[in-house]
Amino acid sequence: MLEGITSEAFVMGCSAIGAGLAAIAGIGPGIGQGYAAGKGAEAVGRQPEAQGDIIRTMVMGQAIAETTGIYGLVIAMILLFLNPFV
Amino acid sequence: MEETGKMGLQFALGNQQVFIHDTLVNSVIIVLVLSIFFMIMSRKIKAADPTKPPKGVVHILEIIVTGINSYVASTMGKKGKGFEPYIGTLAIYLAIANLLGLVGFTPPTSDYNVTLALAIMTFFLTQFFGFKTQKLGYFKSFTEPYAFLLPINLLGEFANPVSLSFRLFGNIVSGALIMGLLYGALGWFTPILAPALHAYFDIFAGLIQTFIFTILTMIFISGAMED
């Protein structure tokens, strides 16, 4: 079955699969950011006058929670565009 | 990124081909435009009458400067005195750099060179002000709470610029990448859907990342300045 495929094409296909798998890292930040947003909404409901501070703290925490997802994205992009294994 | 790889300045220097990526060209253009704009504006501000209420561009600039001053003061407190110009410059440069994707240029922050340079500046500022305010106590703070945690503390310190630069780079480049894919996929619906997507990926994400980068810079610096 693999006879017609060059080794380079095989490595590039596997890299594409790896990039797809790396993008699964997006699950974690998704859950984390949603949780932070929910807690932020709760806090605003309890203390509407502190909305500005709550939103600032929430956005900052979400941006830090996003880091792991960004690492996954960067690995996916390296696999797709830089082809380190070819 | 194959398409963007070919854009930029290309010229022959002696018998060597020199290639300057367009992100760097755009970056230099932003710096030049901002420098000239603020040189003209500072002359205008000096000529303005302080007893009368400001008007026109001077008024807008006053709002921006007041906003940046209160932003730095609310995040860093007393330690932030003197950091307003740096944080303000960083904020204005990053905001314009991130929004450059809207007008069809490659945003400079979609190049890892640019974001890494900015993050390294933050890193050295953190180390410098940590050492300046705490002297040798700053190095001792790495051995706390236990001396055997020194490698982990050092690793955590060096992870800061890496995560800072990758966060900005990843957000901007993923926005540009998704917009590129969507322009290919949407076809006839592009004129209807593209403005909303640009509003999210370019304006919202760009301004949020500007905010995050500046606030994290301030937090790192004021954290190292603990007295």
Side-chain angles (χ1 to χ4, degrees):
Chain A
M1 196 179 105
L2 288 174
E3 271 146 28
I5 300 173
T6 60
S7 64
E8 192 174 292
F10 182 72
V11 169
M12 281 177 87
C14 287
S15 295
I17 294 171
L21 289 175
I24 296 176
I27 292 175
I31 295 171
Q33 287 186 331
Y35 190 74
K39 287 284 177 192
E42 245 174 54
V44 172
R46 206 175 296 142
Q47 255 184 317
E49 68 275 5
Q51 197 187 19
D53 284 342
I54 291 167
I55 288 180
R56 215 175 57 189
T57 315
M58 186 192 82
V59 167
M60 206 186 73
Q62 286 183 327
I64 293 168
E66 202 181 33
T67 311
T68 48
I70 295 291
Y71 288 161
L73 172 84
V74 168
I75 289 170
M77 284 195 307
I78 289 172
L79 284 175
L80 280 182
F81 296 114
L82 301 180
N83 296 320
F85 301 119
V86 174
Chain B
M1 276 197 269
E2 262 102 67
E3 305 97 285
T4 55
K6 288 179 190 111
M7 281 154 75
L9 288 178
Q10 199 160 12
F11 55 90
L13 194 76
N15 47 11
Q16 247 181 337
Q17 280 287 318
V18 179
F19 178 71
I20 300 175
H21 204 280
D22 61 343
T23 50
L24 295 180
V25 178
N26 291 348
S27 188
V28 172
I29 289 173
I30 293 176
V31 171
L32 282 180
V33 167
L34 281 181
S35 306
I36 293 167
F37 175 76
F38 282 114
M39 267 178 214
I40 295 168
M41 280 305 133
S42 76
R43 202 164 293 165
K44 217 170 182 177
I45 287 167
K46 268 177 199 153
D49 187 358
T51 55
K52 284 186 195 138
K55 55 188 175 200
V57 193
V58 177
H59 192 192
I60 295 169
L61 285 178
E62 212 162 86
I63 292 172
I64 292 174
V65 169
T66 321
I68 287 167
N69 282 350
S70 70
Y71 172 52
V72 173
S74 70
T75 315
M76 292 178 85
K78 268 187 196 156
K79 294 176 206 159
K81 225 163 173 37
F83 281 107
E84 290 96 344
Y86 177 66
I87 302 294
T89 313
L90 204 59
I92 293 169
Y93 171 74
L94 279 177
I96 292 179
N98 291 347
L99 293 178
L100 213 60
L102 273 181
V103 285
F105 292 105
T106 316
T109 39
S110 68
D111 190 341
Y112 189 59
N113 294 318
V114 176
T115 60
L116 185 66
L118 292 172
I120 285 173
M121 272 155 71
T122 297
F123 176 73
F124 279 106
L125 273 177
T126 310
Q127 307 310 318
F128 176 75
F129 281 100
F131 184 67
K132 196 184 167 194
T133 52
Q134 299 188 57
K135 307 289 179 222
L136 287 173
Y138 180 65
F139 295 116
K140 205 171 162 270
S141 71
F142 285 113
T143 58
E144 279 160 8
Y146 303 110
F148 68 86
L149 289 179
L150 177 71
I152 293 175
N153 282 335
L154 281 178
L155 207 64
E157 195 65 25
F158 282 105
N160 282 342
V162 175
S163 71
L164 198 62
S165 54
F166 268 135
R167 185 177 300 122
L168 182 59
F169 165 74
N171 270 285
I172 302 303
V173 90
S174 69
L177 210 64
I178 292 170
M179 282 313 294
L181 289 176
L182 282 170
Y183 268 108
L186 287 175
W188 286 100
F189 296 105
T190 308
I192 308 161
L193 290 174
L197 294 166
H198 270 300
Y200 179 74
F201 285 116
D202 285 333
I203 299 176
F204 179 72
L207 292 182
I208 285 278
Q209 289 312 313
T210 305
F211 167 72
I212 297 295
F213 195 95
T214 50
I215 207 166
L216 282 178
T217 299
M218 287 191 281
I219 287 172
F220 288 154
I221 292 173
S222 62
M225 280 165 83
E226 210 78 64
D227 36 27

